[in-house]
Amino acid sequence: MKQICALLIAILLAACARSQTGAGDDWTNPGGDQGKTHFSRLDDINSENVTRLGFAWELRLDTTRGMEATPVVIDGVMVTSGVAGRVYALNAATGEEHWRFEPEIDPRVHRGTCCDMVNRGVAVKDGRVFVGALDGVLYALDLRTGRVLWRVDTIVDRNRAYSITGAPEVAGDVVIIGNGGAEFDVRGYVTAYDVRTGRERWRFYTVPRDPAQGPQESPDLEAALETWDPESRWDIGGGGTAWDTIHYDPEFNAVYVGVGNGGPYHVARRSPSGGENLYLCSIVALDPRTGRVKWHYQETPGDSWDYTATQPMVLTRLDINGESTPVLLHAPKNGFLYVIDRRNGRVIAANALVYMNWASGVDLATGRPNLTPETSNYALRPQIVFPTAAGARNWHPMAFSPETGLLYASVLDMGNLLFMSPGAKPHRVRALNNDAAIVFAGDILDVLPSLPPPVRAAVEASPELARVRNRPASQELRAIDPLTGRTVWSVPRAAWQDRAGVLATAGDLVFQGDLMGRLNAYDARDGRRLHTIETGTSILAAPMTYRVDGVQYVAVMAGWGGGGWSYVPRQSAAYERGNQNRILAFRLDGGATPVPDPLPPLEPAPAPPPQLAGTTPARIERGRDLFFGNCGICHSNQARSLLPDLRRMQRPTHDLFQEIVREGLYEANGMPGWSDLLSREDVDAIHAFLIEEQRRTRARELDLQRRGQPLDPPRATITSSN
Ligand code: CA
């Protein structure tokens, strides 16, 4: 009898846990529900009727700089964030705007951001909206009016390249936010503030500081210090930024923080004698009252590959050996899919989703990966390492359906060439921390002839080169069994950059947008594509769903951007039609979706002015280095890029070049001044390089035009696994 009771209770508990999973009419945080499953219990829109899904409303956003947030909907009000932490509050049934908030940002912050001006969402709690602006200021806004209730500068050192792109997380009476910047020169941390006043409650640094500065801030950091060389490059900061996932778990009163990569990238440069370098690339469970560590799990010890652990987590329960087990599902950049016990951080399962050569598996007894330095330590020799620094997975949210028991996620199977950059510069504040050179797999064969001879020789001798030749990359939407990592079904994508967030629903549907601007609905059980809506705007962000006055809607923020944003893929809607960012909403029996017009055909570059007086080939060469070291992260000099193609400058721009670059003449357009970092002669050298580029571009394009050939590059395709 006792056993039957226990069994009944277990069944009831499991049923209870199941019924709580997923969002209902409201979608209360960017992840949908407390577990951030990106799953909805709504099934008015389902696999039977999804073909009737059509346009409900749109809000055009005055930017072309990329959308990554998933909106929140509470009581018929949608609140979401856009570039640099702008906030929009709308009527979720009509798209009518209630208010918008635009933080004032010093454009110089753009110089220290790796991956665009995006923002991944707001937290909404008790009538307050919390958002982190790109410049590191955390705002609390009044949900009804958008009025600023309080603001706090979360940045500890304004001389370093800190920024915020992630969503804040509310845990009880505190709101917690991290930051970005581990591509530059920062020491990562998260800070908790009182939700009512903005007063700081605690701060947790993710990596230790220079022991010469005195004791660490906490015993947790004293423990971490043991895993670093005392002679580490403390001046660079160590990295470890928590730029995306911070996840509150009320069941165990813990806040799980996903910690980012190390800075500099290679452990040999960062911590010369090696070490695990805690808490880089770890999930750290913090006590939300104190900021002390309850447990941690390091996914990538001694990171050298930019394998952040910041990717979104899902909290749920899985039936493991007959026991309903509270788990955290995590698929970070490093290629493993982890199932972690939320009670203690123990790894229950860790399966490789993609080909990898930095580790050969995870020892479940210790939780440690079996490292394979002979194929991944690029301080020894240049190496083609799998997966890529772009990540087997990245920030694009995955969805978990308790109905199918499957995870739905974008998965990238691709490697990259890594080598110690011969041009590595000593640390400079607000400069890209370029100790490692990275070439994505699809580009390796193209750049091979131009690589330094020793790098080229190492690549040609690499056993991985054949793999790159056969299949440079595969990008898929996959349905995955979380405990085994097995792919149940998959849908191949057209380009490796074609990765996007996912929504799963109780209507047996999986929604995902794509680079070409389509919103796709799939059968959650077999991956059959049931419906496609052409929107004409590239989609990266996760769709979400909600119900107002008995009508279910599906909404998504559309716009190309994020990591690699400055290069616009040839296949994308952003390339064909520009990148008008929008919030789009759909409903059953909606109308036709408005599609932006195609851009006009490309014209040959205008004639450049004569070369600057006194210009030598050496000056142009120096200008090239300065351009790629300072400007190239934003200005890709591609015809359809989101910022001006500087090979197509008109005469007035050339005439004002010094004023624009040094004095910040176009600051209002987001182009900061550089007079503190670049001298007049530096800027002349950059200008000379660009005049030369413009001359060559014009000559090439006039020639193509004469021969009747298109000026656009051909559409690239990638080989996929199926
Ligand atoms: Ca990174």
Side-chain angles (χ1 to χ4, degrees):
M1 186 64 198
K2 206 167 154 191
Q3 266 177 347
I4 292 171
C5 278
L7 186 65
L8 272 175
I9 288 167
I11 290 168
L12 284 171
L13 280 175
C16 183
R18 206 164 23 244
S19 69
Q20 283 168 351
T21 296
D25 285 4
D26 288 348
W27 185 277
T28 55
N29 71 69
D33 59 354
Q34 189 68 54
K36 297 186 183 167
T37 57
H38 287 263
F39 172 78
S40 171
R41 299 192 305 273
L42 301 183
D43 61 1
D44 301 344
I45 300 167
N46 55 55
S47 53
E48 301 287 310
N49 63 18
V50 69
T51 51
R52 286 165 41 206
L53 193 68
F55 178 74
W57 56 260
E58 69 170 335
L59 180 71
R60 296 187 179 213
L61 305 176
D62 47 359
T63 177
T64 58
R65 286 297 293 274
M67 292 294 138
E68 293 189 356
T70 317
V72 166
V73 171
I74 296 173
D75 292 335
V77 176
M78 175 181 289
V79 188
T80 191
S81 62
V83 292
R86 295 176 194 176
V87 181
Y88 307 90
L90 344 163
N91 180 322
T94 65
E96 182 201 348
E97 244 184 291
H98 295 318
W99 52 263
R100 69 169 66 183
F101 166 72
E102 187 166 336
E104 254 183 60
I105 306 269
D106 180 345
R108 276 176 301 183
V109 78
H110 301 168
R111 303 190 312 204
T113 56
C114 72
C115 305
D116 207 353
M117 306 164 64
V118 292
N119 189 280
R120 273 175 237 94
V122 297
V124 182
K125 191 75 192 233
D126 299 335
R128 296 184 189 89
V129 178
F130 302 98
V131 69
L134 189 70
D135 63 354
V137 175
L138 179 68
Y139 291 88
L141 310 174
D142 185 320
L143 174 59
R144 287 161 308 156
T145 63
R147 190 171 61 86
V148 176
L149 299 173
W150 54 258
R151 46 163 285 162
V152 58
D153 185 354
T154 72
I155 302 305
V156 295
D157 182 351
R158 284 267 159 211
N159 288 317
R160 290 176 183 261
Y162 285 107
S163 56
I164 294 181
T165 58
E169 175 80 339
V170 174
D173 59 357
V174 294
V175 54
I176 302 166
I177 188 75
N179 45 58
E183 265 55 48
F184 299 87
D185 57 356
V186 308
R187 178 185 181 209
Y189 57 89
V190 295
T191 317
Y193 300 94
D194 186 297
V195 291
R196 285 173 302 275
T197 63
R199 194 173 56 81
E200 183 180 322
R201 290 282 194 82
W202 51 260
R203 172 167 287 146
F204 170 74
Y205 282 95
T206 59
V207 294
R209 65 175 176 179
D210 186 349
Q213 289 184 339
Q216 300 297 319
E217 289 88 346
S218 75
D220 303 317
L221 285 170
E222 294 291 353
L225 185 62
E226 302 297 314
T227 66
W228 291 70
D229 187 332
E231 301 301 316
S232 289
R233 285 298 301 273
W234 306 112
D235 58 328
I236 293 180
T241 49
W243 54 264
D244 195 20
T245 297
I246 302 172
H247 200 150
Y248 176 47
D249 181 354
E251 194 177 354
F252 297 101
N253 193 38
V255 175
Y256 310 120
V257 176
V259 181
N261 59 274
Y265 278 163
H266 201 290
V267 66
R269 285 261 168 87
R270 185 173 67 240
S271 174
S273 64
E276 295 163 356
N277 289 185
L278 289 172
Y279 296 91
L280 293 178
C281 306
S282 303
I283 295 173
V284 181
L286 301 178
D287 185 326
R289 290 162 304 196
T290 61
R292 290 292 311 275
V293 175
K294 298 180 94 159
W295 56 256
H296 77 274
Y297 174 64
Q298 189 175 44
E299 294 172 334
T300 311
D303 170 50
S304 292
W305 311 279
D306 189 15
Y307 286 162
T308 67
T310 56
Q311 284 60 44
M313 305 167 190
V314 164
L315 309 188
T316 186
R317 300 182 87 87
L318 291 180
D319 186 5
I320 294 167
N321 302 327
E323 190 199 346
S324 167
T325 307
V327 296
L328 182 163
L329 308 179
H330 198 224
K333 275 185 173 187
N334 76 11
F336 284 107
L337 167 57
Y338 299 91
V339 179
I340 294 171
D341 191 326
R342 282 189 267 144
R343 292 170 295 196
N344 48 31
R346 197 175 62 81
V347 180
I348 295 166
N351 292 289
L353 294 179
V354 295
Y355 176 71
M356 61 172 70
N357 65 4
W358 70 277
S360 62
V362 171
D363 179 345
L364 291 182
T366 63
R368 285 187 59 86
N370 309 310
L371 299 176
T372 50
E374 63 282 5
T375 51
S376 60
N377 183 355
Y378 57 91
L380 298 176
R381 62 179 166 279
Q383 303 264 19
I384 303 174
V385 179
F386 292 79
T388 163
R393 289 202 19 84
N394 210 306
W395 61 267
H396 318 78
M398 56 188 187
F400 175 72
S401 165
E403 309 227 328
T404 61
L406 299 175
L407 265 179
Y408 302 93
S410 261
V411 178
L412 172 60
D413 196 343
M414 179 171 94
N416 50 206
L417 167 64
L418 291 169
F419 57 96
M420 303 307 272
S421 174
K425 298 180 181 74
H427 165 61
R428 198 182 67 180
V429 167
R430 285 196 182 279
L432 191 62
N433 181 2
N434 60 348
D435 64 307
I438 300 177
V439 182
F440 292 133
D443 301 327
I444 291 174
L445 296 173
D446 292 342
V447 305
L448 199 53
S450 59
L451 291 173
V455 178
R456 197 168 136 190
V459 171
E460 281 167 348
S462 167
E464 303 291 13
L465 189 60
R467 175 177 295 274
V468 170
R469 239 187 257 282
N470 289 339
R471 198 190 67 163
S474 142
Q475 175 69 258
E476 295 176 331
L477 167 64
R478 287 193 198 167
I480 305 164
D481 175 345
L483 277 172
T484 63
R486 189 174 62 88
T487 298
V488 175
W489 56 258
S490 65
V491 178
R493 292 302 192 192
W496 77 260
Q497 299 96 337
D498 189 10
R499 51 203 338 203
V502 181
L503 162 70
T505 78
D508 269 341
L509 292 171
V510 170
F511 290 91
Q512 191 191 34
D514 68 27
L515 197 61
M516 280 63 73
R518 299 175 299 213
L519 179 67
N520 305 294
Y522 302 91
D523 188 309
R525 305 197 179 259
D526 58 19
R528 219 161 19 104
R529 189 158 75 177
L530 301 174
H531 189 47
T532 290
I533 297 173
E534 299 280 352
T535 76
T537 305
S538 298
I539 300 170
L540 307 177
M544 49 80 71
T545 188
Y546 56 94
R547 188 159 53 190
V548 184
D549 295 333
V551 178
Q552 186 185 352
Y553 298 83
V554 172
V556 69
M557 299 193 73
W560 163 257
W565 64 276
S566 62
Y567 173 76
V568 180
R570 180 68 181 87
Q571 299 91 332
S572 65
Y575 192 99
E576 294 288 338
R577 300 171 188 278
N579 196 34
Q580 166 72 63
N581 289 190
R582 307 142 89 190
I583 306 173
L584 290 163
F586 306 90
R587 57 174 290 179
L588 290 181
D589 304 318
T593 305
V595 172
D597 292 333
L599 295 176
L602 207 54
E603 295 287 330
Q611 189 48 277
L612 303 184
T615 293
T616 60
R619 182 194 235 179
I620 292 173
E621 199 49 42
R622 196 166 154 270
R624 178 198 310 275
D625 284 350
L626 285 166
F627 179 84
F628 287 109
N630 295 286
C631 323
I633 198 164
C634 294
H635 289 279
S636 63
N637 280 1
Q638 177 205 16
R640 303 290 199 197
S641 58
L642 305 185
L643 293 190
D645 176 356
L646 302 179
R647 305 166 310 172
R648 292 169 198 281
M649 283 191 283
Q650 303 288 344
R651 281 307 278 269
T653 312
H654 281 287
D655 293 344
L656 293 168
F657 197 82
Q658 282 281 350
E659 286 80 357
I660 295 167
V661 180
R662 275 179 47 84
E663 316 310 332
L665 189 66
Y666 289 173
E667 236 174 39
N669 305 351
M671 167 66 191
W674 288 77
S675 57
D676 54 334
L677 292 177
L678 297 173
S679 70
R680 267 198 102 72
E681 171 47 35
D682 288 343
V683 174
D684 274 346
I686 292 169
H687 196 186
F689 162 66
L690 290 171
I691 290 171
E692 175 63 11
E693 285 289 288
Q694 185 161 343
R695 189 189 63 74
R696 288 149 64 119
T697 303
R698 179 172 166 81
R700 188 178 60 247
E701 291 180 343
L702 286 175
D703 183 51
L704 285 168
Q705 195 180 49
R706 248 191 316 272
R707 290 190 280 133
Q709 290 184 2
L711 305 187
D712 290 308
R715 276 170 202 272
T717 50
I718 65 161
T719 337
S720 192
S721 59
N722 59 348

